[in-house]
Amino acid sequence: MIGGLFVYNHKGEVLISRVYRDDIGRNAVDAFRVNVIHARQQVRSPVTNIARTSFFHIKRANIWMAAVTKQNVNAAMVFEFMLKVIDVMQSYFGKISEENIKNNFVLIYELLDEILDFGYPQNTDTGVLKTFITQQGIKSQTKEEQAQITSQVTGQIGWRREGIKYRRNELFLDVLEYVNLLMSPQGQVLSAHVAGKVVMKSYLSGMPECKFGINDKIVMEAKGKGMTTEDPARSGKPVVVIDDCQFHQCVKLSKFETEHSISFIPPDGEFELMRYRTTKDISLPFRVIPLVREVGRTKMEVKVVLKSNFKQSLLGQKIEVKIPTPLNTSGVQLICLKGKAKYKASENAIVWKIKRMAGLKETQLSAEIELLETDTKKKWTRPPISMNFEVPFAPSGFKVRYLKVFESKLNYSDHDVIKWVRYIGRSGLYETRC
Amino acid sequence: MTDSKYFTTTKKGEIFELKSELNNDKKEKKKEAVKKVIASMTVGKDVSALFPDVVNCMQTDNLELKKLVYLYLMNYAKSQPDMAIMAVNTFVKDCEDPNPLIRALAVRTMGCIRVDKITEYLCEPLRKCLKDEDPYVRKTAAVCVAKLYDINSSMVEDQGFLDQLKDLLSDSNPMVVANAVAALSEINESSSSGSPLVEMTPQTVNKLLTALNECTEWGQVFILDSLANYSPRDEREAQSTCERITPRLAHANAAVVLSAVKVLMKFMEMLPSDSEFVTSLTKKLAPPLVTLLSSEPEVQYVALRNINLIVQKRPDILKHEMKVFFVKYNDPIYVKLEKLDIMIRLASQANVAQVLSELKEYATEVDVDFVRKAVRAIGRCAIKVEQSAERCVSTLLDLIQTKVNYVVQEAIVVIKDIFRKYPNKYESIISTLCENLDTLDEPEARASMIWIIGEYAERIDNADELLESFLEGFADENSQVQLQLLTAIVKLFLKRPSDTQELVQQVLSLATQDSDNPDLRDRGFIYWRLLSTDPAAAKEVVLAEKPLISEETDLLEPTLLDELICHISSLASVYHKPPSAFVEGRAGIRKSLPASARAGSEGVESTESQAAPAVIPAQDSLIGDLLSMDIGGPTVAPVAAAPAAPFGSAAMDLLGGGLDTLLGETSSSPAPPSALAASSAALLGDIFGAPAASATYVAPKTTWLPAEKGKGLDISGSFVRRNGQLFMDLTFSNKAMQPMLGFAIQFNKNSFGITPASPLQVQSPLPPGVAADASLPLATTGPVQKMEPLTTLQVAVKNNVDVMYFACQIPMHALFVEDGQMDKRVFLATWKEIPAQNEVQYTITNVMHSADTVVSRMQQNNVFTIAKRNVEGQDMLYQSLKLTNGIWVLNELKIQPGNPNITLSLKSRTPNVAEGVFQAYDNILHG
C-alpha cells in the first residue's frame, strides 16, 4: 500500500511529508526531488522506479504530489486517491497553490491522517469529512453527535446525514456534454464522441429515494415491448445509445444491472450523478472547413469557413476558433465576416472569437500570413485547428425523462418538489486537421 | 490567520526558543509552538531534541493539538524509544475515552509507533477496540492488526488477533469488512510460511460480495483485489461470482473498474470459452475500458498499460475499438506512446488503412521519441499485415523524403526489417535509401543500411564504393556497425569476387588484427578460414537463405502474461514485470490463472536463482550471427540448423590457397598469426563438428521375437528415422538347425497407419547360426486403428517354417517429422486455443544439460525450438513437433541452471500422445 505522501513546490521544496510505512526511509523525499523534479531529462512517465521504490506523481499548477511505495500496490487506486486528495483540499481551501498549502498544512496533516490509514484509503467524501475535521476542534460535541459522525463515516450511506430539512424542496439537473471531434481536412470524421455528465444539485429534506429516467435505447425498447397497444407518439421519439456509463457511489449499481433503473439517495448539495459516453448519431454543432495554401516560401493563405449545424432558433455562444500559424510568422492580415479575429504571436495562432451565432448559419475568415525566411529544414507540422463553443442542447440526443422523489417518512410528495433541468453542450477536444 | 509563517523560522537558537514556547502555560502558545515544530519536521530539520517537551503537550483535550503531537510521535518515537514510553499511559487512557473518534485516534497512532515496549501495551487496547461498539473504532482497529503484524508477526498469531480479524469479515458494517479484508490480504501476502494464513471459503466470499455493494469506493477496491486471489471451486461458482461483480464496471472510480476487470479476466479462464456467458461478458468489458481513456492522464496511463495486457490475452475484447486509441494532439507523451503500442496490437487487415494514415500524421509531430515510435510502428504494420506492406513502404519513402534526420534513420531501420520479411520484393527503393547514406549517424541505422547493401550487393552497382566509404572510419564505429560491415563485405566478395578482393582482405585484417573486440575477431577468423578453405562452403554459410522474421515482436511470454493478468491494475501491470522484479524480499505467493495446472510447480520454483552468466553464446545465436542477423529489432524466428558445411579433413588445411583458387589469380594469401591457427582449428571443430557427433537418437535394438517363440527365428529390431524416412531396422538370427527362406512381413492396423513401404529384403536362404540385418522402409499411409498403448505395432513375419506374431513399441520420436517447426505466431495462438485440460505435465529427472544442449539435441530429433526466454534465471523453451499423422504437439520446458529436473508442460489437441512424447524426451535427453 501507499508508503508515504509528499507535496513539493515547483522548486522541489517539501511542503507536506507524511510517511505511513516503515519501509519508506527519509531519503525517499530527496530521491524523488533529485530524480524526478530536478531530473535533467523530463521524466516521461507518471510512475518512476528508483532503487526498487516506486513513485507515483501528479503535477497540478506548480505543485507536485508524489505517493511512494515499495510494494506492488494497486496503481489505479493510488492515482485515483491522489486526485481525490486534491479534490478534498480544493473543497477545503480552494485553489491548490504553494501559498494555500502552507497556510493549511496543519489541516492537511489532519486530513491525511484521517483519509489514509497505514496506506489504505478510508472515507474521502468531503461532505462527511467536513462534519468532523473542522480546525475548530470538536470538544463541544454531544454523545449523539459523535455517534452520528462515526456512523456516517463508516455507514452504508456515507454521503448523506440524517435530519436535513428544507422549507422548499428543490432540485436542479444539469446535463453537461463535451463533444470531442477529430476531423480530417476533407471533412471525414476520424473520431467523435460525447463525454457527458449529469450534475445534480439537491435541496431535499430527509432521506429521499430518487428515481431517474433517461431516453436510453435499452430502456426505451424494453418499455416498447411491454406495452400492449403501440403508442404512436412514443415510437417517433429519439433515443440515445449509451456506450458506457458510470455512476456516483450513491446509485445502486446492482439494481441498474438487473432492472436498468437508476435509483439512489442523493447527497445533499451538488454532486455528479452519472457520467456517460456516446459515439453514435452525434449532432456536431459546428463544422470547420479549412483551406491552406502555401504561396512560395514566405507567404501562406488560410481560409476557414465555419458552419453552425443546429436548429435555427438556438444560439451558440462563446465561440472561439484557434488557427495555428507557423513559428516563423512575421505578420498576419485578417478579414472576417463575423466576430473578431486577432493574431496572437505568443500562442502562435490566430484566435477568432464570435460571441453568438444562430443555427444554420455560415461565416468565414481569411488570412494572409507572411513568413520569415528561415534556413531550418524542419517542416512546420500544422497542428489541428481547434475550437470552443457552448450550445444549449445535448449533442448526443440525451434527454431526461423524469426524476421522481419519494420520501416516505416526511410528508412531501414528488409533486411538491420543484425541479429544473438544463442542457449544455460544450466543446471537448474539437479539432479539424488542416 | 495563516499557518505559512511557521515555515519561515529564524535560524539561530531556534530549538531553544521552541523549547521555551512548548513549556509555556498558555494553550494557544503551546499549539503555536507545536505547529512550528511540525513545520520544521516537514522541511527536513531534525527536531528530535524537543521530544520530551512535545510529549508533555500530549495530555490535552484539544483534539487538534493532540493530533499534532501524535504526528510528531510517529516520526520520532523510533529514535527515542525510552522517551516514547512516556506516552503509553496517555494512549491507554485515550483508548477508553468516551469519544469514539479519540479511541480510534489512539489505537491508530499506537500502531504506527514501532517501539517494542509500546507494542506490548498495545495488545489489550487493540483487543478491546476490535470489539468496540462503534464501527469507526472497529474499522481502525482492523487496520491496526496489519500494522502490528508488520512489527511483530508472531505476536499477532499468538494473541489470536487473526481470528478476531476473521470475525470482522462478518461485521454488519461494510467498511469494517473492507478494512478487515485489506488487513487480511496484507497479512496473507507477507506471511513467513509463504502460504496464506487465512484461506477464503465460499461463505466468506459470499459475505464479501454482499459488503461490496455497500462500502466506499476504496473498500470496493480492497474487496475486489482480495477476491482476485480466490479460486472458485467450480465453474458455477466462478460464473455466479462474475455475475455479481459485473455491475462494478459502471463505477466512476477507475480503480474499482480495473479491479473488477481483473477478477473477471481471471475467473473467465475457468469458464468454457465458447459459452454464451463468456461471450456476453467479453462484450461488457469493452465499454468500461474505453471509458477509462477519458479519465485524468495519469489514470489513463495505468489503464493503457493494462489494456496492453488485456489485448494480448483476449484480442477480441477491443478489436473494434481502434479509433479510441488514436492519439490526441495534446495527450501527454506517456499516453501517446502507450496508445501507439495498442494501435499496433489492434492493427488488422480491416483497419490498417486507417491506422496507416494516422501513423503518417504522427510521424510529422515534434516529439522525437514519439515520431520515432510512429515510424517504427509503420514498419511493424507492414510486417504484421502483409496486404499493407506496399502502402507502408511508400509511406516510409515519403517520410524519407522529408529529410528529417531521425525520421530517415528510423525509417531505414524498419525498411531493413521489411526486407527481411519480404525478401526480393521492394528492392527498387534501394537507390533512394542510398541517397541518404551520409546523414546516418546512429549505429543502428548505419548497421541496417550496411546490411541492406551487403544483402543486395549484386544489385547495387557501387556497393563496393559504398562499403569502402564506411571502412575508412572502421575503428571508430560502434561494434554493431563493425560486425555488420565485416559480414556485408564478405557477402559482397562472395557475390562479386573479381573486384573486391582487396576490400575483403582489408576488412579481415582490420577485424582480426586491429580490434580488441573478441566477437569481431572471432567472426573475422571464421570468415577468413571459411574463405580460404572452402569458398563454396563459405557461400553456403554466409549467403544461406535466412529465416523470415515474424511479426509478433514484443508479445509477452505466455506464462508471464498470465501472471500479469492476475496483477491487473497493480504496479506489476504498469511495469509489465512480475512483482518479484521490483519488490524487495520475498515476492509473496506467485499468482497464476486458475485453469492452468502449472501453478503448483511454479510456487516452488519461484525462488530467485541467478543464471550463470553466459560467456559462450548459444549455438543458435552463433549461427544467427554467422547469418548476419545481429541487428536488434524484431526477434529472429529460431534459426534452422545452418547447412552443415562439408568439412572433414579440409579443416586442417587452414592456410591453403582456397582464396587463390576462387580468384584464379595469384595473390598474397592472408596469413593470420600461426599461433592462433591451431586453436582456431579447434574452434571450427567445435562449431561444425559438435552437431555431427551427436546425431539422432536411436534406441538400441531390442529382442522382439525370441528364438523359442519363433521356432528358431530370433528377431530384434528398432525404429529409426533417416533422411526423413522411417525405417524398421531388423536383425534376423537363425538359431534353428536348417536354413530359412521365403521371408515376408505384414503389420496389423495401428494408430499411426504404419505399413511397409517395400517388401522385406533379407538374405535368403538364411543359413543356421547366421544373423542378417534388414532395413525396412515404412510408410504411414496404411489403415489406422487406435491401439492401446498408442505406439503398439503388431507384426507378423512369415518364413518357410511358420507365421510368427509379435508386438513391438514404436518409439515416439521416430514419428516426429521434419517439418514440425511451427510458426511463432501460430504457436502462440495454438497454445492459447488448446484448452487447459489438454495440458499434461511431466518431469524429466536427472538431466544435466544446459538449455542450449537441450535445444540442439531435440532439434536433431525433429523437435523444434520456437522461442527461448529467460525468466528470473530459468530458461523457458517453447518447442513444437509434428507426428507423422499430422498431430501437433506443443511443449514448454522449464530449465533451471543447477537443477537436474526439467519440467515439461505439453499441450496438444490429442493429449493421449503425451505419454509417448515424454518417453521420447526422456530417451533423447538421456541417450
Side-chain angles (χ1 to χ4, degrees):
Chain A
M1 282 302 117
I2 299 172
L5 202 73
F6 310 130
V7 180
Y8 305 80
N9 66 9
H10 67 286
K11 284 184 265 177
E13 290 164 356
V14 187
L15 303 178
I16 298 288
S17 142
R18 175 74 159 92
V19 174
Y20 292 92
R21 295 239 168 187
D22 198 44
D23 54 2
I24 301 303
R26 281 172 199 276
N27 49 7
V29 193
D30 301 322
F32 181 78
R33 176 183 27 241
V34 173
N35 291 293
V36 179
I37 302 182
H38 293 168
R40 203 163 296 159
Q41 275 192 328
Q42 205 195 338
V43 172
R44 310 207 114 189
S45 150
V47 186
T48 324
N49 193 317
I50 307 162
R52 294 205 149 212
T53 309
S54 299
F55 293 84
F56 299 77
H57 76 260
I58 53 181
K59 199 182 171 201
R60 294 294 181 266
N62 275 327
I63 298 296
W64 296 79
M65 184 187 282
V68 51
T69 181
K70 286 208 163 187
Q71 289 164 307
N72 181 30
V73 297
N74 187 323
M77 186 182 79
V78 176
F79 278 129
E80 283 280 0
F81 175 75
M82 284 162 76
L83 294 167
K84 193 79 200 188
V85 172
I86 288 186
D87 265 6
V88 170
M89 292 204 289
Q90 270 169 343
S91 78
Y92 264 96
F93 51 76
K95 210 173 104 230
I96 301 289
S97 66
E98 180 172 354
E99 194 58 28
N100 276 345
I101 290 177
K102 279 185 169 172
N103 281 339
N104 294 285
F105 84 97
V106 175
L107 166 73
I108 294 173
Y109 275 124
E110 199 175 340
L111 284 169
L112 288 181
D113 194 49
E114 185 58 44
I115 60 181
L116 203 56
D117 190 3
F118 202 40
Y120 291 102
Q122 305 294 307
N123 197 330
T124 47
D125 190 278
T126 17
V128 174
L129 286 172
K130 278 186 174 165
T131 60
F132 71 106
I133 296 190
T134 52
Q135 287 282 279
Q136 256 82 63
I138 41 165
K139 26 194 175 222
S140 59
Q141 281 162 348
T142 63
K143 213 168 168 196
E144 289 73 44
E145 278 169 338
Q146 287 163 6
Q148 204 195 331
I149 288 168
T150 57
S151 82
Q152 223 184 95
V153 177
T154 61
Q156 298 181 8
I157 306 168
W159 54 87
R160 189 182 180 93
R161 62 192 168 87
E162 303 247 7
I164 297 172
K165 275 240 161 69
Y166 286 102
R167 276 181 51 222
R168 205 160 95 123
N169 287 300
E170 199 170 15
L171 65 86
F172 300 83
L173 278 177
D174 279 352
V175 177
L176 252 174
E177 294 197 340
Y178 291 89
V179 198
N180 296 278
L181 169 75
L182 184 62
M183 197 177 249
S184 77
Q186 292 75 34
Q188 186 194 5
V189 176
L190 295 174
S191 73
H193 76 270
V194 165
K197 56 183 180 183
V198 179
V199 177
M200 180 168 173
K201 266 181 244 169
S202 74
Y203 304 106
L204 302 169
S205 312
M207 293 298 250
E209 278 257 10
C210 298
K211 250 188 137 171
F212 183 48
I214 53 174
N215 60 337
D216 178 17
K217 188 164 177 244
I218 302 169
V219 179
M220 299 301 277
E221 273 171 3
K223 251 188 131 68
K225 268 182 222 153
M227 279 185 300
T228 43
T229 51
E230 188 71 21
D231 186 349
R234 191 176 294 276
S235 59
K237 270 196 182 168
V239 291
V240 58
V241 184
I242 290 184
D243 288 26
D244 187 33
C245 52
Q246 296 175 319
F247 296 101
H248 185 267
Q249 59 166 326
C250 65
V251 176
K252 291 169 186 145
L253 290 179
S254 36
K255 213 161 180 184
F256 178 72
E257 178 78 11
T258 49
E259 301 163 29
H260 244 272
S261 77
I262 305 168
S263 60
F264 55 96
I265 297 171
D268 195 36
E270 185 172 329
F271 70 103
E272 196 180 294
L273 175 63
M274 78 180 278
R275 251 188 267 166
Y276 58 91
R277 189 168 48 83
T278 75
T279 46
K280 288 206 182 65
D281 304 325
I282 297 168
S283 73
L284 298 167
F286 289 96
R287 162 102 202 264
V288 173
I289 305 159
L291 206 77
V292 181
R293 210 157 64 91
E294 287 180 40
V295 192
R297 296 189 56 188
T298 56
K299 214 173 128 186
M300 246 173 71
E301 287 178 6
V302 179
K303 200 173 115 182
V304 177
V305 178
L306 180 68
K307 285 184 180 171
S308 60
N309 200 4
F310 45 88
K311 260 195 235 159
Q312 216 159 2
S313 54
L314 299 174
L315 272 182
Q317 290 186 67
K318 300 179 190 165
I319 300 153
E320 185 182 296
V321 184
K322 204 167 170 183
I323 306 147
T325 55
L327 297 174
N328 55 340
T329 302
S330 61
V332 179
Q333 264 100 56
L334 289 163
I335 308 164
C336 60
L337 300 177
K338 207 169 155 62
K340 277 180 195 161
K342 231 187 215 165
Y343 166 64
K344 288 194 175 168
S346 59
E347 294 176 43
N348 282 313
I350 299 166
V351 180
W352 178 21
K353 285 185 181 169
I354 304 168
K355 272 196 188 130
R356 262 183 289 277
M357 187 167 169
L360 298 177
K361 289 273 184 329
E362 184 179 324
T363 180
Q364 70 175 50
L365 165 145
S366 38
E368 267 186 35
I369 302 172
E370 282 158 39
L371 304 173
L372 287 173
E373 204 152 344
T374 53
D375 49 352
T376 48
K377 277 193 221 137
K378 214 167 155 189
K379 226 183 85 195
W380 178 55
T381 58
R382 283 200 194 176
I385 295 178
S386 58
M387 80 171 291
N388 292 316
F389 56 78
E390 196 178 296
V391 289
F393 62 93
S396 70
F398 186 97
K399 282 266 173 336
V400 175
R401 282 172 50 228
Y402 57 80
L403 197 142
K404 292 176 193 149
V405 181
F406 309 94
E407 165 61 65
S408 47
K409 287 187 196 128
L410 303 172
N411 49 356
Y412 71 91
S413 74
D414 185 39
H415 301 290
D416 304 330
V417 180
I418 306 159
K419 302 168 191 169
W420 307 86
V421 183
R422 174 164 74 149
Y423 297 92
I424 303 168
R426 288 202 182 121
S427 52
L429 208 56
Y430 204 84
E431 296 182 332
T432 309
R433 287 183 178 156
C434 59
Chain B
M1 191 196 83
T2 67
D3 286 343
S4 60
K5 61 173 185 279
Y6 301 117
F7 279 87
T8 52
T9 47
T10 47
K11 288 236 165 88
K12 231 176 181 179
E14 183 196 346
I15 299 276
F16 184 75
E17 213 169 277
L18 281 172
K19 205 178 181 82
S20 70
E21 279 177 47
L22 283 170
N23 291 317
N24 199 301
D25 288 338
K26 282 196 188 128
K27 264 189 196 160
E28 272 313 302
K29 276 266 182 214
K30 263 191 189 175
K31 199 161 129 187
E32 297 270 293
V34 177
K35 280 187 183 179
K36 274 186 205 164
V37 173
I38 300 289
S40 307
M41 193 175 87
T42 299
V43 297
K45 278 184 201 143
D46 184 12
V47 282
S48 58
L50 297 167
F51 201 90
D53 310 282
V54 178
V55 173
N56 270 338
C57 307
M58 193 170 158
Q59 286 216 3
T60 167
D61 50 358
N62 184 320
L63 201 62
E64 191 191 356
L65 180 58
K66 195 173 217 120
K67 282 182 178 171
L68 288 173
V69 175
Y70 281 179
L71 188 63
Y72 178 90
L73 258 175
M74 285 188 270
N75 258 300
Y76 287 112
K78 229 169 127 188
S79 56
Q80 311 255 343
D82 296 330
M83 302 261 227
I85 302 299
M86 291 163 39
V88 166
N89 260 333
T90 323
F91 278 130
V92 176
K93 217 176 89 203
D94 279 359
C95 284
E96 310 267 333
D97 197 280
N99 186 340
L101 291 172
I102 292 185
R103 290 202 297 275
L105 179 66
V107 78
R108 183 163 72 212
T109 313
M110 231 171 143
C112 294
I113 297 177
R114 302 174 67 93
V115 173
D116 284 344
K117 280 177 193 153
I118 291 202
T119 317
E120 282 168 34
Y121 288 100
L122 175 62
C123 286
E124 276 322 299
L126 178 58
R127 204 186 310 280
K128 266 188 215 151
C129 286
L130 281 167
K131 289 187 203 135
D132 200 286
E133 51 167 19
D134 195 293
Y136 183 79
V137 181
R138 289 201 301 275
K139 72 116 185 161
T140 312
V143 176
C144 191
V145 177
K147 292 178 186 170
L148 186 60
Y149 192 87
D150 192 39
I151 305 170
N152 189 339
S153 57
S154 56
M155 187 183 279
V156 171
E157 286 166 44
D158 300 345
Q159 299 268 340
F161 285 129
L162 283 181
D163 291 327
Q164 274 194 295
L165 201 52
K166 244 193 289 184
D167 291 344
L168 289 186
L169 291 180
S170 325
D171 200 283
S172 59
N173 186 295
M175 191 148 172
V176 177
V177 178
N179 275 3
V181 165
L184 273 177
S185 304
E186 175 160 347
I187 290 171
N188 273 346
E189 292 259 318
S190 60
S191 88
S192 49
S193 61
S195 60
L197 292 168
V198 183
E199 290 282 359
M200 278 218 266
T201 61
Q203 287 75 36
T204 45
V205 169
N206 198 26
K207 278 175 203 152
L208 293 185
L209 285 169
T210 314
L212 186 63
N213 293 324
E214 290 163 353
C215 63
T216 65
E217 43 198 332
W218 316 114
Q220 297 187 17
V221 176
F222 305 155
I223 292 179
L224 288 168
D225 281 354
S226 83
L227 282 176
N229 292 331
Y230 173 71
S231 301
R233 290 158 306 169
D234 50 31
E235 266 180 54
R236 242 190 49 232
E237 195 188 356
Q239 180 169 342
S240 71
T241 314
C242 284
E243 277 164 1
R244 292 178 70 178
I245 286 171
T246 317
R248 296 299 119 198
L249 294 174
H251 202 284
N253 188 316
V256 176
V257 176
L258 272 176
S259 291
V261 169
K262 164 163 60 188
V263 182
L264 293 174
M265 286 289 287
K266 199 176 160 186
F267 287 10
M268 243 197 308
E269 287 291 305
M270 294 186 67
L271 305 170
S273 53
D274 50 351
S275 70
E276 204 176 304
F277 181 74
V278 170
T279 322
S280 82
L281 195 54
T282 315
K283 268 192 206 131
K284 278 184 193 159
L285 278 174
L289 288 174
V290 172
T291 300
L292 291 178
L293 297 182
S294 43
S295 34
E296 295 283 323
E298 292 86 2
V299 177
Q300 269 188 63
Y301 174 73
V302 176
L304 284 165
R305 293 293 284 173
N306 279 291
I307 289 172
N308 200 327
L309 296 174
I310 293 167
V311 166
Q312 289 183 57
K313 183 73 190 166
R314 292 185 181 267
D316 283 354
I317 294 182
L318 289 165
K319 68 179 171 203
H320 301 303
E321 304 287 350
M322 168 63 86
K323 276 187 178 182
V324 299
F325 297 101
F326 284 179
V327 169
K328 290 182 191 145
Y329 188 72
N330 41 4
D331 275 335
I333 182 69
Y334 51 83
V335 169
K336 284 186 176 176
L337 294 174
E338 291 307 317
K339 281 188 174 172
L340 206 49
D341 247 357
I342 293 168
M343 278 172 68
I344 292 301
R345 294 214 193 286
L346 293 177
S348 67
Q349 202 184 334
N351 56 25
V352 77
Q354 242 181 341
V355 174
L356 263 182
S357 70
E358 278 296 305
L359 291 175
K360 198 176 169 186
E361 200 72 43
Y362 304 160
T364 58
E365 282 217 28
V366 216
D367 190 287
V368 179
D369 283 350
F370 180 60
V371 170
R372 280 173 178 274
K373 198 160 182 174
V375 176
R376 222 160 251 242
I378 297 175
R380 278 168 66 184
C381 257
I383 291 167
K384 189 168 179 194
V385 187
E386 189 164 355
Q387 292 81 356
S388 73
E390 189 140 4
R391 295 186 54 174
C392 294
V393 171
S394 76
T395 310
L396 287 168
L397 276 183
D398 288 351
L399 290 172
I400 288 178
Q401 302 298 354
T402 63
K403 304 276 177 202
V404 178
N405 187 284
Y406 52 85
V407 174
V408 174
Q409 310 215 34
E410 206 63 44
I412 286 186
V413 173
V414 297
I415 286 178
K416 178 238 352 180
D417 287 336
I418 295 177
F419 279 2
R420 286 170 66 188
K421 171 81 180 179
Y422 310 109
N424 305 319
K425 223 169 156 189
Y426 300 109
E427 283 69 33
S428 52
I429 65 170
I430 289 178
S431 60
T432 322
L433 302 185
C434 289
E435 285 163 22
N436 293 287
L437 219 53
D438 306 334
T439 55
L440 308 180
D441 53 10
E442 289 160 21
E444 199 180 353
R446 284 174 84 85
S448 301
M449 194 62 223
I450 293 170
W451 182 86
I452 293 173
I453 297 173
E455 189 65 18
Y456 296 102
E458 65 271 31
R459 304 182 199 207
I460 307 171
D461 294 336
N462 59 343
D464 49 342
E465 286 166 33
L466 296 175
L467 291 175
E468 200 170 359
S469 69
F470 280 105
L471 205 55
E472 278 158 20
F474 189 76
D476 303 327
E477 296 282 5
N478 177 292
S479 63
Q480 186 188 9
V481 182
Q482 290 177 333
L483 284 167
Q484 209 44 254
L485 194 52
L486 171 61
T487 305
I489 291 178
V490 171
K491 278 185 196 163
L492 172 70
F493 172 70
L494 289 168
K495 288 175 179 172
R496 284 168 36 189
S498 50
D499 54 343
T500 54
Q501 189 198 353
E502 209 170 302
L503 196 60
V504 81
Q505 283 184 5
Q506 208 182 334
V507 76
L508 285 175
S509 77
L510 278 172
T512 52
Q513 284 161 25
D514 301 341
S515 169
D516 298 333
N517 181 343
D519 288 345
L520 186 62
R521 270 203 321 256
D522 285 355
R523 192 186 285 189
F525 279 129
I526 288 175
Y527 283 150
W528 200 328
R529 270 154 214 149
L530 265 175
L531 290 174
S532 56
T533 319
D534 189 346
K539 227 173 191 167
E540 256 183 276
V541 171
V542 180
L543 302 181
E545 202 170 305
K546 288 157 206 65
L548 298 183
I549 57 171
S550 73
E551 67 184 68
E552 296 301 349
T553 54
D554 46 4
L555 282 187
L556 289 168
E557 189 253 329
T559 38
L560 176 63
L561 178 63
D562 284 358
E563 189 183 348
L564 291 180
I565 290 287
C566 303
H567 287 291
I568 282 180
S569 183
S570 79
L571 259 182
S573 73
V574 174
Y575 293 144
H576 287 187
K577 284 179 192 162
S580 56
F582 59 92
V583 174
E584 256 167 33
R586 266 176 332 90
I589 304 142
R590 204 160 150 197
K591 293 177 185 175
S592 57
L593 290 178
S596 68
R598 272 164 284 163
S601 59
E602 262 171 5
V604 185
E605 287 165 45
S606 62
T607 44
E608 285 176 41
S609 63
Q610 284 290 304
V615 182
I616 302 157
Q619 190 193 358
D620 57 347
S621 69
L622 192 59
I623 293 169
D625 273 357
L626 284 171
L627 296 177
S628 72
M629 290 301 186
D630 45 8
I631 300 169
T635 41
V636 187
V639 184
F647 244 81
S649 60
M652 298 320 292
D653 181 24
L654 284 168
L655 303 173
L659 263 180
D660 304 43
T661 46
L662 182 74
L663 296 168
E665 57 182 76
T666 47
S667 69
S668 56
S669 77
S674 55
L676 279 167
S679 68
S680 43
L683 175 79
L684 283 179
D686 278 353
I687 293 165
F688 293 105
S694 59
T696 317
Y697 167 76
V698 180
K701 281 183 184 169
T702 47
T703 305
W704 285 338
L705 181 72
E708 55 267 30
K709 284 193 181 159
K711 309 223 156 94
L713 179 65
D714 179 293
I715 302 175
S716 61
S718 68
F719 291 87
V720 253
R721 215 176 166 80
R722 280 192 291 265
N723 301 327
Q725 167 81 40
L726 183 61
F727 287 92
M728 188 184 208
D729 281 355
L730 296 150
T731 306
F732 293 87
S733 321
N734 186 349
K735 305 250 168 104
M737 304 306 283
Q738 70 266 56
M740 294 177 177
L741 45 112
F743 287 100
I745 195 163
Q746 210 171 359
F747 297 166
N748 197 356
K749 287 184 207 163
N750 56 71
S751 321
F752 293 94
I754 291 174
T755 180
S758 66
L760 180 66
Q761 302 284 336
V762 70
Q763 185 188 347
S764 175
L766 190 63
V770 173
D773 285 338
S775 199
L776 178 70
L778 304 177
T780 52
T781 48
V784 175
Q785 180 189 357
K786 200 176 157 199
M787 302 298 290
E788 198 58 49
L790 217 54
T791 48
T792 307
L793 179 66
Q794 291 173 338
V795 185
V797 172
K798 191 188 107 182
N799 61 7
N800 58 337
V801 183
D802 200 355
V803 181
M804 276 76 66
Y805 299 94
F806 61 89
C808 57
Q809 298 293 325
I810 314 160
M812 193 68 101
H813 73 264
L815 301 171
F816 298 170
V817 293
E818 279 69 21
D819 60 341
Q821 174 146 19
M822 204 177 238
D823 181 72
K824 196 173 193 169
R825 181 170 27 112
V826 179
F827 184 90
L828 271 173
T830 318
W831 185 274
K832 276 186 215 157
E833 260 170 48
I834 299 178
Q837 60 262 34
N838 277 16
E839 184 170 333
V840 197
Q841 290 229 347
Y842 182 71
T843 309
I844 311 166
T845 51
N846 243 332
V847 183
M848 296 312 288
H849 301 310
S850 71
D852 298 326
T853 325
V854 172
V855 169
S856 62
R857 283 243 188 153
M858 296 317 292
Q859 174 114 329
Q860 284 149 18
N861 289 285
N862 295 338
V863 178
F864 299 92
T865 306
I866 307 302
K868 183 182 160 188
R869 293 224 166 79
N870 189 294
V871 183
E872 296 167 22
Q874 314 186 53
D875 282 313
M876 308 287 287
L877 296 180
Y878 298 89
Q879 301 186 323
S880 74
L881 60 93
K882 194 169 113 182
L883 299 176
T884 47
N885 55 357
I887 293 179
W888 283 94
V889 177
L890 285 69
N891 296 317
E892 182 198 70
L893 271 75
K894 226 178 284 169
I895 304 172
Q896 269 181 299
N899 185 342
N901 295 347
I902 296 180
T903 314
L904 176 63
S905 308
L906 176 148
K907 267 193 172 183
S908 172
R909 294 193 199 280
T910 22
N912 34 8
V913 301
E915 206 45 52
V917 174
F918 294 150
Q919 192 64 45
Y921 265 87
D922 248 341
N923 287 337
I924 294 167
L925 293 176
H926 289 119

